[in-house]
């Protein structure tokens, strides 16, 4: 199973260079986040027709996707580690903050506790040998995620040229009208997630997206499509500012009902290796193995 890696880090006082802000988003990108996801959403399909139960039986619906990358995938070309960024200043104050306008603000950066969590993440990865043969660090440009990526790079001897800023696919899940409210309100979002992956949080007009599980699934599936196309046999560390990106991605990879993604929750600073043994064995569809050559379409 994908169990969290735990050990005591005695080097929390390590002297590291001050994390710098991520590079600004290019102004010539033609497709903004909502336009891009709308354009690609038609390539993703979901199968949630089986009634939901709380049982762990294999009869439950699982994540499925079409297009360039299939969930669960037949195989993974690269090796992956999933990392949730350390606690942010907003999180330390117990406030929900998912508006992308705020993602590069100082308050979206790491709190003092978040810095320690990120240092521990970096040493966890070092102990796991994540970058022994080189690695790429794909991080959201959200301040806390990018700062975490810089700490990981410093501890693991990775140059900044191997940190790849991700401008939209790894944004924290937009929680709509819950923006600015106490973190306790997140429980209402997860209650809806358990009913259907298509339920969105209530909307708000301040620019904060209100994303369902299915919306996030589109984003992380497109991210994996890029990574599996761009690299071959490499190690990729994915750094997300929140837990939901990672739990929904992990649920998709292992074939877990997306309504249960919360069961895979990541704590701030937590690291997990994507174990290929947890990905279901790929089975060809009947159409790929059943041949009819005598009298199509009457093949009985």
């Amino acid at each position: 199973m994908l169990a969290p890696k735990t050990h005591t880090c005695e080097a929390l006082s390590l002297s590291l260079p001050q994390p710098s802000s991520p590079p600004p988003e290019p102004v010539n990108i033609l497709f903004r986040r909502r336009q891009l996801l709308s354009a690609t959403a038609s390539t993703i399909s979901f199968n949630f027709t089986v009634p939901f139960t709380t049982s762990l039986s294999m009869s439950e619906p699982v994540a499925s996707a079409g297009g360039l990358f299939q969930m669960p995938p037949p195989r993974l070309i690269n090796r992956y580690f999933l990392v949730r960024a350390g606690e942010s200043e907003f999180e330390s104050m117990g406030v929900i903050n998912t508006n992308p306008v705020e993602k590069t603000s100082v308050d979206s950066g790491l709190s003092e506790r978040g810095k320690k969590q990120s240092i521990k993440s970096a040493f966890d990865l070092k102990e796991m040998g994540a970058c022994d043969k080189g690695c790429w660090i794909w991080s959201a440009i959200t301040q806390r995620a990018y700062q975490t990526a810089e700490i990981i790079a410093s501890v693991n001897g990775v140059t900044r040229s191997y940190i790849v800023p991700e401008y939209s696919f790894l944004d924290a899940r937009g929680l709509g009208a819950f923006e600015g409210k106490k973190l306790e309100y997140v429980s209402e979002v997860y209650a809806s997630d358990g009913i259907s992956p298509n339920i969105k949080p209530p909307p708000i007009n301040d620019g904060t997206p209100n994303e369902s599980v299915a919306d996030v699934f589109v984003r992380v599936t497109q991210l994996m499509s890029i990574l599996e196309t761009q690299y071959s046999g490499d190690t990729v560390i994915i750094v997300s500012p929140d837990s939901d990106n990672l739990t929904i991605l992990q649920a998709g990879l292992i074939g877990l009902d997306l309504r249960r993604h919360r069961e895979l929750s990541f704590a701030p600073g937590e690291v997990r290796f994507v174990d290929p043994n947890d990905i279901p064995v790929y089975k060809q569809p009947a159409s790929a193995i059943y041949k009819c050559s005598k009298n199509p379409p009457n093949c009985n």
Side-chain angles (χ1 to χ4, degrees):
M1 291 297 297
L2 301 178
K5 183 72 180 176
T6 59
H7 78 282
T8 302
C9 172
E10 298 178 353
L12 296 182
S13 61
L14 179 68
S15 177
L16 296 173
Q18 250 335 324
S20 60
S21 298
E25 183 171 357
V27 297
N28 62 344
I29 295 178
L30 298 179
F31 290 98
R32 312 320 286 171
R33 181 180 181 203
R34 296 302 137 196
Q35 293 172 305
L36 179 59
L37 296 184
S38 297
T40 59
S42 62
T43 67
I44 307 298
S45 61
F46 304 94
N47 178 16
F48 302 111
T49 58
V50 181
F52 175 68
T53 67
T54 57
S55 165
L56 297 180
S57 71
M58 294 301 293
S59 62
E60 292 182 355
V62 298
S64 62
L68 293 177
F69 188 80
Q70 178 179 330
M71 289 280 204
R75 71 186 188 287
L76 289 175
I77 298 174
N78 302 298
R79 187 171 69 139
Y80 294 95
F81 292 86
L82 308 180
V83 182
R84 179 180 173 181
E87 177 191 73
S88 70
E89 292 287 359
F90 275 114
E91 289 171 325
S92 71
M93 296 184 287
V95 176
I96 294 173
N97 177 256
T98 61
N99 191 325
V101 173
E102 300 283 348
K103 62 187 177 182
T104 59
S105 73
V106 174
D107 287 335
S108 290
L110 293 170
S111 66
E112 287 305 311
R113 180 165 58 178
K115 292 173 185 176
K116 294 179 180 180
Q117 291 167 338
S118 296
I119 292 171
K120 185 177 183 301
S121 299
F123 279 99
D124 283 344
L125 287 162
K126 188 176 183 67
E127 185 176 293
M128 298 164 79
C131 298
D132 285 355
K133 297 182 179 179
C135 64
W136 293 90
I137 304 173
W138 275 62
S139 169
I141 64 166
T142 305
Q143 192 79 334
R144 62 184 177 276
Y146 201 85
Q147 288 174 341
T148 298
E150 290 189 310
I151 292 172
I152 290 171
S154 177
V155 170
N156 287 272
V158 177
T159 63
R160 290 176 59 87
S161 60
Y162 283 84
I163 301 176
V164 183
E166 215 307 304
Y167 290 95
S168 59
F169 292 138
L170 283 175
D171 281 358
R173 179 184 178 185
L175 297 184
F178 293 108
E179 181 74 5
K181 295 185 180 296
K182 294 293 184 182
L183 284 175
E184 289 78 9
Y185 281 91
V186 173
S187 61
E188 295 184 26
V189 177
Y190 293 136
S192 297
D193 289 354
I195 298 171
S196 169
N198 298 309
I199 297 177
K200 297 174 178 283
I204 193 172
N205 60 5
D206 70 347
T208 304
N210 59 319
E211 293 184 296
S212 66
V213 171
D215 293 330
V216 178
F217 183 66
V218 169
R219 290 202 275 114
V220 296
T221 301
Q222 292 298 312
L223 173 67
M224 290 302 295
S225 179
I226 292 170
L227 296 176
E228 286 289 278
T229 302
Q230 184 165 331
Y231 304 112
S232 179
D234 291 317
T235 295
V236 181
I237 299 171
I238 297 174
V239 184
S240 169
D242 70 349
S243 176
D244 284 3
N245 283 335
L246 302 178
T247 59
I248 293 169
L249 170 57
Q250 187 177 345
L253 290 172
I254 67 175
L256 181 70
D257 183 341
L258 292 182
R259 290 170 291 189
R260 299 171 56 198
H261 77 93
R262 180 61 176 165
E263 297 174 20
L264 305 173
S265 180
F266 281 70
E270 185 172 347
V271 176
R272 290 182 201 166
F273 170 58
V274 176
D275 190 340
N277 293 325
D278 290 324
I279 298 174
V281 176
Y282 176 70
K283 294 182 179 180
Q284 285 187 309
S287 60
I289 59 176
Y290 181 69
K291 303 299 181 182
C292 173
S293 59
K294 292 184 179 179
N295 186 28
N298 300 316
C299 297
N300 295 330

